[in-house]
Amino acid sequence: MKFYHFLESILLVMYEVYKALGSGSFGQVYKCFDHKRKNSVAVKIVRSTPKVAQSAQIEADILLHLNSISGPGNSNIIKLLNYFEFRGHQCVVFELCSLSLYDILKKRKFKGLTCSQVKPIATEVLMALNFLKENKIVHCDLKPENILLSGDNSERIKLIDFGSACYEGKGCYTYIQSRFYRAPEVLLNASFGSPIDMWSFGCIIHELLCGYPLFPGNPLS
């Protein structure tokens, strides 16, 4: 609750906090009302550790770059609306989206989707990945949790969580990709590029169709 009270002290001037959307090692995400824009947004409050703060800065820099470029696939990248620091915490504001692909599977009790349901989602993800490749950016953490529906009744998707992303040939971290979606290059500690995102994409499509991961890796790996 201490973190929530801190959040209230920061955000009530700029944003009205509605509810928590999720949390992780990075910090917490809240659904808020933006008093300036007069609409709902997602605000990520990042923990004040150097490594996590660096990840937030990388995410903001890459999204500012991507959001400034027009072209097919641009609309499938999450929009960064604001980025600021308060008392040592990085605060990142995004457009508000709906359920993740993982949430959809969970609601279905991990029963796979039909081919006709998966096809439009797959097309949208491929458009996003092609856009990233054209701009020489590797997502490095593609998984169902990081692919959101644009709205409750939409087949349009948004890629989120660019905290591990990098430019081709300029990887920032040695530990990347969640283990279920980790490409052979990463497992072998070899050089990597956009193909690792395509590997993750293939694993995700299998999971959407079947309801379970293609490669359920050892938790210790």
Side-chain angles (χ1 to χ4, degrees), residues 11-218:
L11 295 181
L12 285 180
V13 176
M14 301 167 59
Y15 305 98
E16 180 180 348
V17 181
Y18 285 162
K19 65 177 181 179
L21 293 176
S23 63
S25 59
F26 60 84
Q28 293 178 300
V29 180
Y30 291 85
K31 179 181 178 180
C32 301
F33 182 78
D34 186 327
H35 291 296
K36 182 178 180 180
R37 292 183 174 84
K38 306 300 181 185
N39 63 357
S40 295
V41 296
V43 180
K44 178 160 71 173
I45 312 298
V46 179
R47 299 191 187 281
S48 58
T49 61
K51 185 176 180 180
V52 179
Q54 180 189 21
S55 175
Q57 182 65 61
I58 290 170
E59 179 172 34
D61 291 343
I62 286 179
L63 284 177
L64 282 171
H65 174 62
L66 289 173
N67 293 166
S68 70
I69 303 169
S70 60
N74 170 277
S75 62
N76 299 117
I77 306 299
I78 193 72
K79 295 296 183 289
L80 177 71
L81 303 178
N82 197 5
Y83 178 75
F84 58 94
E85 181 179 334
F86 187 88
R87 296 180 183 174
H89 290 262
Q90 307 299 320
C91 302
V92 194
V93 184
F94 304 98
E95 62 178 316
L96 184 68
C97 295
S98 185
L99 298 175
S100 73
L101 298 187
Y102 178 80
D103 292 330
I104 292 171
L105 286 175
K106 186 176 180 180
K107 286 183 68 173
R108 293 171 58 86
K109 297 183 179 179
F110 299 99
K111 178 183 177 182
L113 282 69
T114 66
C115 289
S116 61
Q117 290 172 317
V118 171
K119 184 177 179 180
I121 295 173
T123 301
E124 292 272 308
V125 177
L126 285 175
M127 288 179 65
L129 292 181
N130 186 61
F131 180 73
L132 294 184
K133 180 175 175 57
E134 287 178 345
N135 291 284
K136 303 185 184 306
I137 289 174
V138 189
H139 186 280
C140 294
D141 195 20
L142 199 65
K143 57 185 178 181
E145 293 91 330
N146 288 340
I147 303 172
L148 306 185
L149 296 184
S150 293
D152 291 336
N153 299 308
S154 174
E155 293 176 336
R156 303 297 302 275
I157 64 91
K158 300 276 185 176
L159 293 193
I160 68 165
D161 197 351
F162 283 76
S164 300
C166 66
Y167 289 90
E168 288 270 6
K170 297 181 180 179
C172 301
Y173 303 105
T174 55
Y175 185 87
I176 57 172
Q177 295 192 301
S178 298
R179 67 180 185 273
F180 293 177
Y181 316 99
R182 193 170 295 153
E185 301 97 305
V186 178
L187 289 170
L188 296 172
N189 198 27
S191 59
F192 65 86
S194 295
I196 71 168
D197 286 341
M198 284 300 298
W199 174 277
S200 300
F201 168 77
C203 295
I204 291 167
I205 296 305
H206 172 278
E207 190 167 343
L208 291 179
L209 290 168
C210 299
Y212 54 86
L214 178 59
F215 299 113
N218 188 312

